[in-house]
Amino acid sequence: MRHLLPIASAGIALLVGVFLIFVRTDRREATFFPMGPIPVKVVAFDRTIFQFHRDVETVRSRVDELARIFNRHDPGSELAELNREASTKSVPACPEMRELLELSREWRRKTGGAFDPTVGPLVDVWSEAGEAHELPTAAKLAEVRGRVGLPFVESSADGKIRFSRKGMSLDFGAIAKGAIVDEAAAVLLIRGVRRGLVEAGGDGVAFGPGTFQFGIQDPVAKAGAGIIGTIEAEAGAVVTSGSYERFIEIAGKRFSHIIDPRTGRPAENGIVSATVVGGAAADADALATALMVLPLSESIGLLKEQGAFQALLIRKGDGGAMEIRMSEALSPKVYLERRWAASVQTF
Ligand code: AMP
Ligand code: MG
């Protein structure tokens, strides 16, 4: 009898395994790291383990592909090659690159130039300044600003891109993550996932029926250390841009990693984090970055114009205390800790 026991327990384990593979559970979640330290989280509802495993693998390979195209700092990426060569000749670009460039033109126009992915050389100047602990000179900034501006990027009908000024550099850091999570969600939809979400370092997009919960990160606490509340949103994007995680410090003063392309200086509009809700994540991503640059009154005007998006802005008030400004339509979807709820004003 005793020797039957291991056989019986192996049988039970097998049954449990088979059950887990074929049963569709409510919610499955996986995280991977295709973009350096930035985690990509995939959530799918009503999938078997087997289906979900394939879902995640398919998403992962597509995200890997896109991350390789758009990583400006990887010398082997298509973007790095474009940045190296487009000042001297027309460079063929893949459809993904052309599409993101055209979307960027739209958002540059809508934001009056507050969002502009040709900001690369300025990003580099300020990052070098941070390392050297020395502010860039006015002359240096003026020189670099002369090679920033999307109108200096020419796209031809045959899919080629050329820079009309030397020393330009496209940096899609403010929009590519959004585009990547949109694409990941599209991959899941094509695979038959009816409800799910994808999130990558502050850029989230959900699809399917019902509502989804997103945390609003505490801009004062250290990265990932806490949330100030949650947003319960329907399908669409929830994207946050913030200056609390990435900044440089020179002579005790903190500078945002987001640059105002029009002045060449780090954004300084008093907003410490901008969360955009609605639409596709690529659009929400570009808009969230612009909200970190524009004066509050202009941001409110822009949001009212762009009806598809709502925003929650955390700003440093005149007295130094943090306060919240948010779209009226967002109020019923936002649950804040009491301390923060007291500071809300809607527009
Ligand atoms: P995000 O976190 O989406 O706001 O993107 C910030 C990143 O976008 C920065 O690290 C830069 O690489 C780039 N960037 C900075 N300022 C701008 C700007 N005004 N427009 C477009 N991209 C920017
Ligand atoms: Mg952005």
Side-chain angles (χ1 to χ4, degrees):
M1 277 307 276
R2 199 175 287 160
H3 65 278
L4 285 180
L5 218 70
I7 299 175
S9 36
I12 290 169
L14 189 70
L15 275 175
V16 170
V18 168
F19 178 78
L20 280 176
I21 285 173
F22 288 104
V23 79
R24 289 161 180 255
T25 59
D26 221 26
R27 182 183 193 278
R28 296 192 189 275
E29 180 179 325
T31 301
F32 56 97
F33 293 83
M35 301 186 260
I38 302 169
V40 174
K41 185 169 95 179
V42 175
V43 175
F45 294 83
D46 206 21
R47 302 292 275 172
T48 66
I49 278 191
F50 185 66
Q51 288 171 322
F52 187 60
H53 179 74
R54 292 282 306 276
D55 294 339
V56 173
E57 284 314 303
T58 320
V59 166
R60 188 203 296 261
S61 72
R62 182 65 179 133
V63 169
D64 275 347
E65 248 169 48
L66 294 174
R68 269 201 301 273
I69 295 174
F70 291 114
N71 183 357
R72 178 165 83 102
H73 302 291
D74 166 6
S77 72
E78 182 165 334
L79 183 57
E81 189 184 330
L82 183 76
N83 284 338
R84 272 194 308 270
E85 297 181 354
S87 296
T88 49
K89 60 177 190 202
S90 291
V91 181
C94 64
E96 291 89 341
M97 181 83 74
R98 278 157 23 212
E99 208 178 297
L100 207 58
L101 183 60
E102 290 322 306
L103 188 64
S104 296
R105 288 193 201 280
E106 244 177 69
W107 280 104
R108 178 182 186 271
R109 185 177 47 76
K110 287 176 181 166
T111 61
F115 167 85
D116 189 323
T118 60
V119 80
L122 286 169
V123 171
D124 294 341
V125 163
W126 283 97
S127 122
E128 283 156 21
E131 276 160 29
H133 301 288
E134 204 175 320
L135 288 171
T137 62
K140 176 76 186 166
L141 285 181
E143 181 275 308
V144 176
R145 263 173 59 205
R147 38 195 170 99
V148 169
L150 259 186
F152 304 138
V153 179
E154 295 163 359
S155 325
S156 56
D158 59 356
K160 291 186 176 157
I161 295 172
R162 186 178 179 130
F163 299 156
S164 64
R165 305 239 164 146
K166 288 228 175 324
M168 292 185 65
S169 183
L170 277 164
D171 174 343
F172 287 114
I175 190 171
K177 247 192 300 157
I180 288 175
V181 297
D182 282 337
E183 177 73 9
V187 163
L188 292 175
L189 266 171
I190 289 168
R191 284 195 39 80
V193 181
R194 292 207 304 273
R195 174 173 149 82
L197 72 89
V198 183
E199 209 203 316
D203 284 38
V205 69
F207 60 94
T211 59
F212 303 81
Q213 282 229 340
F214 290 87
I216 308 163
Q217 203 179 311
D218 187 332
V220 185
K222 276 210 171 348
I227 57 169
I228 62 165
T230 56
I231 297 180
E232 193 166 336
E234 275 144 27
V238 176
V239 172
T240 297
S241 184
S243 60
Y244 48 90
E245 274 187 352
R246 292 159 60 202
F247 52 82
I248 60 165
E249 214 163 316
I250 303 173
K253 184 168 157 50
R254 279 187 179 186
F255 294 93
S256 171
H257 71 294
I258 295 168
I259 312 288
D260 185 339
R262 301 160 308 177
T263 62
R265 299 184 52 81
E268 224 171 349
N269 66 352
I271 306 288
V272 287
S273 114
T275 299
V276 173
V277 180
D283 297 301
D285 197 353
L287 177 54
T289 301
L291 298 179
M292 297 293 299
V293 172
L294 294 168
L296 182 61
S297 58
E298 284 181 35
S299 287
I300 292 175
L302 176 62
L303 284 160
K304 290 195 166 162
E305 240 169 69
Q306 301 294 320
F309 305 93
Q310 295 127 31
L312 183 150
L313 309 170
I314 304 179
R315 73 190 279 261
K316 207 167 191 165
D318 299 332
M322 297 285 184
E323 50 192 38
I324 291 178
R325 296 284 179 275
M326 72 173 161
S327 310
E328 181 78 59
L330 206 54
S331 299
K333 304 176 189 170
V334 171
Y335 305 88
L336 292 166
E337 274 178 21
R338 199 179 306 154
R339 167 170 83 86
W340 288 90
S343 77
V344 172
Q345 272 181 37
T346 56
F347 53 80

